[in-house]
């Protein structure tokens, strides 16, 4: 049985994802997680001291998958910065849409954290903006972009594309015109960055 | 007494604003409005058949004040389009911030309508985007902007500035860096429009 394996934080997080997908953030409990693992809820609490801490950790892990995919895109060599920046925002939009549409229970958990002003969400946004800053700085070095202040520019790019990654807009992501609207905004921003 | 005056839709809407400011959208009732006017609630219902219709009408009136101020700005002659567009978005941001900060009960009413998917909100956004389109077209005519498609460009400008007018972001409008962030986004967009 599962209980004979060592109970690691990773195994608890996997089980929590499963439980959240099954019951949603409002109904999922630590007892459900313990049951899936075949352990006592006390064993779970030894790794995560509160339900909120567990919810934070599972969301952090879920968000870090998006961050990792985007980091690879950010680090890709020999790709013009304008093209890279376009691909980066398209990938972020696609990832968020996928999470909202195909993984609604974990998406709902993420929204609970947003409402709780959890540091996890702020940290996620910080990681993302830092990747944008890196692409902007690269483009400025290669004289592809005119961006005297890559930090402020990265923040502005992230803010100006909110409609295409902020979970508050998730209901609009199913509109048939959303792709065209995305291209119009990103196109305008890329023109604004031209050296 | 108030009841001796003719009961017009305009007087009902004024009284409704007053009642909404006093009690908020959750608690305000048509009976409260009738009491302020010194009439029966039946008299109010003769003008507005449901509480929802009254709420829509009062919000429409409240939003139309912003539309009128921005329309004047849009129609101003002899002002370069880039400057006009910057002033237009700055005014919109200021108006929304003012509504959220100084008129919280009517702002909450507006948010109720957003949640109800009321046509009033969509119409308001349509009027605003149409004003932006008119400034963009003017700039294109004067060769100040490169905007082959003023409709799509106006929509993109409105979408890219969501953070500075969408009520969902109201809690962030009190942040000390918000002005700088606004200028960074609008500056980038204006550079993107350059002919």
């Amino acid at each position: 049985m599962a209980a004979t394996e060592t109970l690691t934080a990773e195994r608890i997080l996997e089980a929590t994802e499963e439980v959240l997908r099954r019951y949603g953030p409002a109904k999922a409990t630590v007892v459900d997680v313990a049951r899936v693992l075949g352990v006592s809820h006390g064993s779970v609490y030894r790794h995560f001291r509160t339900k909120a801490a567990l919810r934070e950790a599972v969301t952090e892990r879920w968000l870090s998958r998006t961050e990792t995919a985007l980091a690879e895109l950010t680090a890709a060599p020999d790709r013009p910065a304008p093209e890279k920046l376009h691909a980066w925002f398209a990938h972020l939009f696609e990832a968020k849409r996928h999470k909202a549409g195909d993984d609604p229970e974990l998406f709902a958990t993420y929204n609970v954290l947003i409402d709780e002003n959890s540091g996890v969400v702020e940290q996620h946004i910080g990681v993302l903006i830092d990747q944008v800053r890196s692409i902007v700085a690269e483009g400025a070095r290669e004289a592809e972009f005119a961006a005297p202040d890559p930090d402020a520019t990265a923040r502005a790019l992230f803010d100006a594309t909110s409609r295409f990654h902020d979970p508050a807009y998730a209901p609009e992501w199913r509109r048939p015109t959303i792709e065209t609207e995305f291209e119009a905004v990103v196109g305008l921003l890329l023109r604004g960055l031209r050296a």
Side-chain angles (χ1 to χ4, degrees), chain A residues 144-164:
Chain A
E144 294 165 312
F145 289 153
D149 182 346
D151 278 312
T153 303
R155 174 85 223 188
L157 288 165
F158 198 78
D159 286 348
T161 52
S162 296
R163 194 176 150 80
F164 310 104

Side-chain angles (χ1 to χ4, degrees), chain A residues 16-86:
Chain A
T16 306
E17 274 203 14
E18 196 183 320
V19 166
L20 281 168
R21 284 208 176 87
R22 208 180 298 163
Y23 303 112
K27 286 190 196 140
T29 67
V30 172
V31 171
D32 296 324
V33 174
R35 191 179 301 129
V36 165
L37 290 163
V39 302
S40 71
H41 64 273
S43 311
V44 175
Y45 280 123
R46 264 193 290 284
H47 287 267
F48 299 97
R49 286 192 297 175
T50 62
K51 185 180 165 181
L54 182 55
R55 184 165 54 208
E56 273 207 359
V58 82
T59 309
E60 205 166 359
R61 183 165 167 275
W62 186 66
L63 294 174
S64 77
R65 283 179 224 147
T66 304
E67 291 167 11
T68 305
L70 287 166
E72 277 170 33
L73 220 154
T74 304
D78 304 326
R79 194 172 185 186
E83 191 190 307
K84 194 185 267 194
L85 197 61
H86 182 279

